[in-house]
């Protein structure tokens, strides 16, 4: 049970920002939100994670709602290399990650 | 720094055969996990370990065994291969705790005929 809900697919134009939503309405106070992406024929790649505050790194930003029931992964300028399946995962143990089917992002040149 | 290394990359087995998928990491990570990914689906957790000598079951453990005798290695054993175990298998490792990301290997593509 992945316990998160994401749209099956999204499209974005190249060089435009992309906002990938994730719903986790049953999240508990100790659950972290992690995002991974998987490029075709590759293993998943860590993108970003957070607990309560918004987070930024070189790849993306993570915006977590004040009630923590949803979050948004933000890619500031989509490139063709960002075309992948993006997974939103909640975990409170760090040793059991449950992946759903994720969001397949298509980037249009 | 090699990260997470999985061998072999490809394998074909006959029904009933056994084999071991190898996973090794050189980052001194405490946590290691095995996942399988079937076509068009997300990853499903098979087994995981939180340190040498400690393993536990994930979502889909039936037909698989694991052991963790060292921090570096976490092999996955298929006891008697079945066509339903045809899948891509990923190994991953992480430092301790929820506040760390996982590093994944490049996968082993297994076909059982």
């Amino acid at each position: 049970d992945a316990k998160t809900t994401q749209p099956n697919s999204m499209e974005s134009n190249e060089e435009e920002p992309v906002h990938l939503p994730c719903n986790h309405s049953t999240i508990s106070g100790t659950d972290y939100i992690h995002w991974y992406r998987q490029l075709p024929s590759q293993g998943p790649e860590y993108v970003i994670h957070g607990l309560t505050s918004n987070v930024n790194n070189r790849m993306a930003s993570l915006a977590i709602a004040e009630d923590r029931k949803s979050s948004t992964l933000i890619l500031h300028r989509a490139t063709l290399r960002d075309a992948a399946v993006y997974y939103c995962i909640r975990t409170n143990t760090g040793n059991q990650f449950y992946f759903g089917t994720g969001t397949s992002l298509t980037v249009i040149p | 720094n090699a990260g997470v290394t999985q061998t072999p990359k490809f394998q074909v087995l006959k029904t009933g055969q056994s084999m071991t998928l190898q996973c090794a990491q050189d980052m001194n990570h405490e946590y290691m996990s095995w996942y399988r990914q079937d076509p068009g689906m997300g990853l499903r957790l098979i087994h995981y370990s939180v340190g040498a000598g400690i393993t536990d079951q994930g979502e889909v453990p039936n037909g698989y065994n694991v052991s963790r005798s060292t921090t570096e290695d976490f092999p996955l054993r298929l006891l008697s291969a079945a066509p339903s175990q045809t899948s891509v298998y990923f190994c991953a490792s992480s430092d301790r705790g929820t506040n760390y990301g996982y590093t994944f290997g490049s996968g082993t593509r297994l076909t059982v005929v």
Side-chain angles (χ1 to χ4, degrees), chain A residues 1-2 30-32 34 36 38 41-46 49-50 87 91-102, chain B residues 31 33 35 37 40-45 48-50 57-59 90 94 97-106 109:
Chain A
D1 181 4
T30 56
D31 284 352
Y32 278 75
H34 286 243
Y36 285 75
Q38 187 174 23
S41 300
Q42 296 189 25
E45 175 188 29
Y46 167 80
H49 76 280
Y87 297 99
T91 180
N92 62 6
T93 64
N95 54 44
Q96 299 180 53
F97 276 34
Y98 293 94
F99 289 73
T101 53
Chain B
Y31 289 10
S33 305
Y35 292 86
Q37 185 172 34
M41 297 182 65
L43 284 73
R44 290 185 291 170
L45 182 64
Y48 64 95
S49 168
V50 297
Q57 298 180 351
E59 295 178 85
F90 291 102
S94 173
T98 58
N99 200 24
Y100 296 90
Y102 272 85
T103 300
F104 281 78
S106 57
R109 185 174 296 274

Side-chain angles (χ1 to χ4, degrees), chain A:
Chain A
D1 181 4
K3 304 187 180 107
T4 64
T5 304
Q6 301 176 252
N8 287 334
S9 62
M10 292 183 64
E11 288 186 350
S12 174
N13 293 321
E14 194 176 10
E15 299 189 2
E16 290 187 356
V18 182
H19 291 234
L20 298 167
C22 180
N23 182 288
H24 30 80
S25 58
T26 60
I27 196 169
S28 71
T30 56
D31 284 352
Y32 278 75
I33 299 299
H34 286 243
W35 283 82
Y36 285 75
R37 71 180 186 182
Q38 187 174 23
L39 280 65
S41 300
Q42 296 189 25
E45 175 188 29
Y46 167 80
V47 177
I48 200 167
H49 76 280
L51 181 62
T52 56
S53 304
N54 294 344
V55 185
N56 300 295
N57 66 22
R58 64 174 181 81
M59 291 181 68
S61 295
L62 175 60
I64 301 174
E66 194 169 340
D67 63 6
R68 303 214 318 126
K69 293 184 177 181
S70 65
S71 61
T72 302
L73 178 70
I74 303 165
L75 307 179
H76 296 287
R77 286 182 70 222
T79 70
L80 297 178
R81 290 173 295 179
D82 292 323
V85 177
Y86 287 78
Y87 297 99
C88 168
I89 301 160
R90 50 176 274 199
T91 180
N92 62 6
T93 64
N95 54 44
Q96 299 180 53
F97 276 34
Y98 293 94
F99 289 73
T101 53
T103 297
S104 179
L105 175 66
T106 300
V107 180
I108 303 169

Side-chain angles (χ1 to χ4, degrees), chain B residues 2-72:
Chain B
V4 178
T5 302
Q6 291 185 238
T7 56
K9 293 191 182 304
F10 301 94
Q11 183 71 47
V12 178
L13 286 180
K14 294 182 179 179
T15 297
Q17 286 186 317
S18 63
M19 80 159 294
T20 299
L21 307 185
Q22 301 291 345
C23 176
Q25 53 92 8
D26 60 359
M27 298 171 284
N28 201 34
H29 283 170
E30 291 291 329
Y31 289 10
M32 295 187 74
S33 305
W34 275 102
Y35 292 86
R36 61 175 288 174
Q37 185 172 34
D38 299 322
M41 297 182 65
L43 284 73
R44 290 185 291 170
L45 182 64
I46 304 173
H47 286 284
Y48 64 95
S49 168
V50 297
I54 306 170
T55 64
D56 206 345
Q57 298 180 351
E59 295 178 85
V60 288
N62 292 341
Y64 307 95
N65 272 356
V66 292
S67 60
R68 184 97 180 269
S69 56
T70 67
T71 299
E72 295 78 19

